[in-house]
Amino acid sequence: MITVKDLHKSYNDLHLFKGISLNIKKGEVVAFIGPSGSGKSTFLRCINGLEYFQKGEVVVDGIELHSINRIDPTKEDLEAIRKIRLKVGMVFQQFNLFPHMTVLENIIEAPVRVLGIDKNTASENALALLRRINLENKVNCHPEDLSGGEQQRVAIVRALAMKPEVMLFDEPTSSLDPEMVGEVLSVIKDLVDEGMTTLIVTHLMHFAREISDRVVVFDKGDIIETGLPDEIFTNPKIGRTKLFLSRVLNK
Amino acid sequence: MFKKIFNKVIFILSLFFIVNLSSNASFCAEISPLDKIKERGSIMWGADAEGGAPYIFPDPKDPEKFIGFEVDLAEAIARELGVKAKHVQNAWDSLIPALERGDCDIAMNGIEITPQRKEHILFSRPYYVYVEQLVVRKEETAIKGIDDLKGKKVGTLSGTVAQNILEGMGGVDVKIYPGQVEPYEDLAIGRIDGVLLDLPIAAYYGKPNPKLKYAGNPMGEGLYGIAIRKEDENLKNKIDEIIDKLLRTGELKKIYEKWDLWNAAQEKLFENIQGERGYVDLEKSKSAPVYTFFPYLIKGAGVTILISVTSMALAIILGLFLTLLRLYGRKPFNNLAVAYIEIYRGTPLLIQLFILYYGLPNIGISMSPFLAAFIGLGMNYAAYEAELYRAGIMAVPKGQMEAGLSLGMSQGLTVQRIILPQAFRIALPGITNDFIALFKDSSLVSIIAMVELTKTYNILAASTLRFFELGLITAVLYFGMSYPLSLLARRLENKLKRKK
């Protein structure tokens, strides 16, 4: 489903990725863990073209995204990014709901404007999705009237309204108060149970272990270890993984 | 009409963007001026109604109407041509440029026939013989005539024969004024020692002032002529014929008698005036009830509103275009937008208006005062609006753009649907502020012959000398227009805030 080959990325002088590769199968759930600044989020953002990279290749469901020069991307690059974004939904740490729109307007904006679905159909779909997360009574609220957990659930539903084949979660619970983490995780879990191909960057180790088929450990811009969750968490092979896990799990 | 203006706007805009100012554009068709006047049904004559008594000034009974001996003369000429006379307002020192650029068919406003002027324009045969009269303060004893002026401060108008006389004498401290009211005001309160100007001016503004008196006899005879474009020879011949006829029939004499301006010994005639023959003097203008000026002032206020609203609309749209070009445009267009913004913010609006109105005709592009005011103000404020929008866009969190993009929306759609509505809310207080500023800056367009509220005030105050009360009324009118605007904007802001 997703293939990343020999990815190189640098910011000015800082060389972050020096050629990393990863394959993800359809329906697979992959958790990305590792210290802050190790490149997990950037890796995710390279997949849907929010970050440019200097060298390498990203293939999503047969669509090839070559290294993109952000200053002057070619037409093919832009077209590939657009197609990939239609297949890949993304949920951000900061929710990024549109503050000037109601919950309903947030959800139907892209289906109506991008996919050309008529407004009534899109609204019905949106309501069905909201019902699934028990927020149908908030349909006409503005984001500022919602709690953090509610906002993030709406953000997830907003991405789902585009019927993506892959979902990217970039630290979806990091901005939430602890009592709201659970409701967001349960929505993600439902999604995974339905078979959605899911890539999730998270600091919640127990959740990563419980939900994923595979864990990818990042450190200093490199993938240092991948493996089954039980293997990684009980018997990591690499010293740096061990060090990282001991730090976070003993906290 | 609108389409025509619109086309012109598009033309001018594209001109500025392309920067390549080619000079073969011309909006004037080549027909004889006399035919043009007849076809139009009116002769357009340029004159400055500001401080124009007794030449041309607002009737205190009906300030929307202009009166004066030149108004009478213009009407007589028009009648002889079988058309109507239409006055075109212009500042006195730009009358000749205005004539040359084709804003009017003739200029007649006490323009002295001088060799320098004759190099640029034609003059009709003289229609009035003027003399220069020195005026001093009543208690003045040292200055008995023009020969006593050495070392004194003497006021006069810029570009007049009196100025040449004073400067030719040497040793006189000549103070140049833009209008004919101010020198007498300054003389009365002692800022200068004397005023030398044409007798009709001295008779209207100097003589009735109890603090002032004439010093010595009139001197320096000269001639007023009607200014006509060099190429309009046949118009000049026709007007000469008409003046000739008016002289022979005695009509010209009647006009001057009505205004007490007839004959070489004009000064004596000024003594027993009082309006038997419809003559209006300064006292009458001064004592007219203030409400008589209202309709004229309100008309000016209407023009102010029209200019402000239309040019703000242009600024808002053009500013948005500039911002989008600057932030999302490709090279070199984004740099072009930056250059536009910096140049327009870094040069005075006054200069921009001058170039637009008086400068562009040099390269064959001439536009009406309203169009120049609309484009001048609009293009200037567009630069400020662009910066406001940019600040607004910058203040929208980066995640908003990323959220839009990750949903498969294009950059353009995200800007339109997600970024701009939020940026607009942030920029709104600034935009309101600019609108009020533009509203007041619109008074600047009076320099390009646009008679809006400020210019109306100047014209009325100059002929009545009621600077104070008319000034207060004008200020109240401005405030009465801008304050509701502030209230409206505040309500809009609150409404948007609640919606967010």
Side-chain angles (χ1 to χ4, degrees):
Chain A
M1 184 79 193
I2 298 176
T3 307
V4 177
K5 251 188 275 177
D6 193 30
L7 191 67
H8 286 258
K9 173 164 177 64
S10 53
Y11 299 97
N12 300 322
D13 292 339
L14 184 75
H15 207 151
L16 184 60
F17 298 150
K18 296 167 187 144
I20 54 178
S21 303
L22 190 70
N23 278 306
I24 292 155
K25 290 192 286 287
K26 193 168 172 62
E28 199 177 5
V29 178
V30 182
F32 294 79
I33 62 170
S36 296
S38 58
K40 322 177 285 287
S41 291
T42 309
F43 183 79
L44 223 57
R45 291 156 60 87
C46 282
I47 292 174
N48 74 341
L50 286 184
E51 295 279 346
Y52 60 101
F53 47 92
Q54 281 78 10
K55 207 179 133 200
E57 199 176 310
V58 173
V59 185
V60 178
D61 202 19
I63 305 159
E64 292 178 24
L65 192 61
H66 297 280
S67 52
I68 309 160
N69 183 343
R70 191 198 225 168
I71 309 299
D72 196 16
T74 64
K75 262 211 177 100
E76 293 78 56
D77 286 333
L78 290 174
E79 190 53 27
I81 293 175
R82 209 182 65 81
K83 280 190 186 155
I84 285 178
R85 284 176 181 156
L86 288 177
K87 289 186 182 287
V88 178
M90 185 157 190
V91 173
F92 300 86
Q93 182 182 344
Q94 299 296 342
F95 330 138
N96 294 345
L97 291 180
F98 308 135
H100 58 299
M101 295 181 175
T102 64
V103 165
L104 183 70
E105 288 166 342
N106 262 280
I107 298 171
I108 66 171
E109 177 70 15
V112 170
R113 302 260 162 196
V114 179
L115 301 180
I117 297 173
D118 92 289
K119 217 170 166 181
N120 289 334
T121 317
S123 301
E124 277 166 32
N125 294 346
L127 273 171
L129 285 166
L130 284 172
R131 224 168 277 136
R132 269 171 54 181
I133 57 168
N134 290 321
L135 284 180
E136 69 266 34
N137 58 331
K138 303 280 186 183
V139 67
N140 290 319
C141 295
H142 279 86
E144 64 175 358
D145 303 324
L146 305 181
S147 72
E150 288 170 336
Q151 287 194 48
Q152 191 62 302
R153 281 147 67 199
V154 171
I156 294 171
V157 161
R158 180 175 69 175
L160 290 178
M162 292 297 283
K163 304 208 161 61
E165 294 172 33
V166 180
M167 282 292 286
L168 309 177
F169 290 92
D170 186 5
E171 302 197 23
T173 58
S174 295
S175 306
L176 294 175
D177 291 336
E179 74 269 21
M180 293 172 184
V181 170
E183 58 188 76
V184 172
L185 293 184
S186 86
V187 174
I188 297 174
K189 193 155 185 321
D190 288 348
L191 208 57
V192 165
D193 289 344
E194 287 164 25
M196 174 69 76
T197 310
T198 303
L199 281 67
I200 178 163
V201 171
T202 183
H203 291 293
L204 301 173
M205 296 305 146
H206 64 277
F207 183 65
R209 184 172 181 176
E210 177 197 336
I211 202 173
S212 66
D213 303 320
R214 188 154 49 125
V215 173
V216 174
V217 186
F218 264 81
D219 191 31
K220 294 182 182 138
D222 202 7
I223 296 177
I224 55 170
E225 190 170 357
T226 67
L228 298 173
D230 285 343
E231 276 173 26
I232 298 281
F233 283 102
T234 55
N235 189 20
K237 292 186 191 69
I238 308 291
R240 277 190 283 165
T241 311
K242 239 179 252 177
L243 189 66
F244 167 70
L245 286 174
S246 70
R247 271 199 210 128
V248 285
L249 294 176
N250 292 339
K251 219 188 266 173
Chain B
M1 165 71 183
F2 253 96
K3 202 170 171 193
K4 212 166 156 194
I5 289 180
F6 182 72
N7 284 340
K8 277 193 184 177
V9 171
I10 294 294
F11 176 73
I12 299 299
L13 287 184
S14 53
L15 198 86
F16 270 77
F17 282 119
I18 297 163
V19 181
N20 176 15
L21 297 166
S22 66
S23 60
N24 49 7
S26 171
F27 293 111
C28 325
E30 300 295 328
I31 7 167
S32 123
L34 210 49
D35 294 340
K36 221 160 70 181
I37 290 165
K38 292 207 166 127
E39 195 182 305
R40 201 195 298 131
S42 63
I43 181 165
M44 313 228 287
W45 66 289
D48 185 5
E50 179 179 347
Y55 301 81
I56 167 170
F57 61 109
D59 187 343
K61 286 198 221 87
D62 177 12
E64 281 187 70
K65 225 180 101 204
F66 289 124
I67 52 173
F69 74 91
E70 284 178 342
V71 178
D72 293 344
L73 182 52
E75 272 158 13
I77 291 172
R79 190 197 62 225
E80 291 298 319
L81 285 169
V83 295
K84 284 209 159 57
K86 192 163 180 284
H87 167 240
V88 176
Q89 169 59 30
N90 236 304
W92 196 80
D93 29 11
S94 22
L95 278 174
I96 306 258
L99 173 73
E100 285 178 312
R101 29 177 286 142
D103 282 0
C104 44
D105 303 311
I106 58 171
M108 170 171 64
N109 201 196
I111 302 173
E112 302 103 334
I113 301 175
T114 61
Q116 296 100 305
R117 291 201 177 111
K118 271 184 162 168
E119 283 172 23
H120 298 284
I121 46 161
L122 296 175
F123 274 109
S124 69
R125 58 172 297 166
Y127 64 89
Y128 186 71
V129 181
Y130 68 89
V131 286
E132 303 294 340
Q133 176 64 56
L134 181 65
V135 175
V136 295
R137 273 186 301 280
K138 200 131 249 170
E139 67 271 19
E140 180 69 61
T141 50
I143 305 173
K144 295 197 178 62
I146 191 157
D147 301 327
D148 303 324
L149 290 177
K150 288 249 155 72
K152 303 285 185 188
K153 285 187 206 155
V154 186
T156 190
L157 275 177
S158 87
T160 54
V161 169
Q163 183 191 349
N164 291 347
I165 295 174
L166 289 170
E167 279 169 355
M169 286 166 59
V172 182
D173 186 0
V174 185
K175 299 279 177 215
I176 306 296
Y177 288 85
Q180 39 193 279
V181 187
E182 295 88 349
Y184 293 104
E185 295 286 294
D186 274 6
L187 175 61
I189 59 174
R191 283 189 189 139
I192 51 176
D193 304 310
V195 174
L196 185 70
L197 275 172
D198 300 4
L199 184 60
I201 306 172
Y204 188 83
Y205 290 105
K207 187 147 174 285
N209 192 325
K211 289 187 192 140
L212 304 179
K213 65 174 182 188
Y214 285 2
N217 290 324
M219 46 94 51
E221 255 182 33
L223 303 166
Y224 288 155
I226 297 173
I228 300 157
R229 273 186 296 274
K230 259 223 152 98
E231 61 269 26
D232 296 353
E233 190 89 37
N234 66 340
L235 181 62
K236 171 195 152 48
N237 294 338
K238 186 74 195 166
I239 285 178
D240 282 351
E241 249 173 60
I242 293 170
I243 293 175
D244 209 51
K245 186 180 169 196
L246 294 176
L247 272 171
R248 273 186 285 111
T249 58
E251 187 174 352
L252 197 59
K253 182 176 177 180
K254 263 195 212 126
I255 291 173
Y256 292 143
E257 276 176 347
K258 174 178 158 192
W259 295 97
D260 265 310
L261 295 170
W262 182 253
N263 162 340
Q266 291 153 49
E267 166 51 13
K268 284 191 187 109
L269 289 173
F270 283 116
E271 278 167 13
N272 50 9
I273 38 176
Q274 286 328 313
E276 298 302 315
R277 291 153 295 185
Y279 176 89
V280 176
D281 65 11
L282 186 58
E283 276 315 309
K284 238 186 199 168
S285 284
K286 261 183 162 170
S287 59
V290 78
Y291 60 79
T292 54
F293 303 111
F294 275 17
Y296 192 42
L297 282 170
I298 284 168
K299 201 170 146 198
V303 175
T304 289
I305 290 177
L306 184 68
I307 293 173
S308 308
V309 171
T310 50
S311 47
M312 191 65 193
L314 174 63
I316 283 174
I317 294 165
L318 183 59
L320 182 62
F321 175 69
L322 287 169
T323 307
L324 295 180
L325 205 61
R326 176 173 187 170
L327 290 180
Y328 306 109
R330 291 185 171 235
K331 276 184 178 171
F333 300 107
N334 55 352
N335 294 327
L336 227 55
V338 175
Y340 177 102
I341 291 165
E342 292 306 329
I343 289 171
Y344 268 85
R345 290 201 310 169
T347 54
L349 175 56
L350 204 57
I351 296 297
Q352 293 163 17
L353 288 170
F354 266 122
I355 292 175
L356 208 56
Y357 189 66
Y358 294 112
L360 285 187
N362 294 355
I363 55 165
I365 302 153
S366 140
M367 48 183 122
S368 71
F370 178 78
L371 190 62
F374 164 68
I375 291 175
L377 280 170
M379 289 185 71
N380 180 274
Y381 269 81
Y384 293 94
E385 297 323 291
E387 285 302 275
L388 276 179
Y389 298 144
R390 192 168 69 93
I393 288 172
M394 296 307 204
V396 175
K398 196 167 136 251
Q400 292 289 311
M401 175 61 96
E402 292 183 345
L405 293 177
S406 74
L407 284 167
M409 296 168 73
S410 65
Q411 181 177 271
L413 185 63
T414 312
V415 168
Q416 179 204 331
R417 298 282 307 167
I418 311 300
I419 307 297
L420 285 183
Q422 296 183 54
F424 179 71
R425 266 154 237 234
I426 297 166
L428 188 62
I431 296 173
T432 317
N433 204 34
D434 273 4
F435 191 16
I436 293 168
L438 179 144
F439 184 71
K440 289 176 290 174
D441 269 3
S442 70
S443 63
L444 281 177
V445 304
S446 58
I447 60 129
I448 54 170
M450 199 64 210
V451 185
E452 39 65 73
L453 184 53
T454 298
K455 188 68 179 180
T456 308
Y457 160 67
N458 285 340
I459 290 172
L460 287 175
S463 66
T464 61
L465 303 185
R466 291 155 80 167
F467 286 96
F468 183 67
E469 51 177 323
L470 287 174
L472 282 182
I473 292 168
T474 307
V476 166
L477 277 174
Y478 268 112
F479 183 75
M481 293 187 286
S482 69
Y483 187 62
L485 207 71
S486 304
L487 289 182
L488 200 74
R490 215 171 295 158
R491 272 181 58 180
L492 186 63
E493 276 164 37
N494 285 335
K495 209 176 144 195
L496 287 176
K497 221 181 276 166
R498 242 179 289 130
K499 206 183 154 198
K500 189 188 160 187

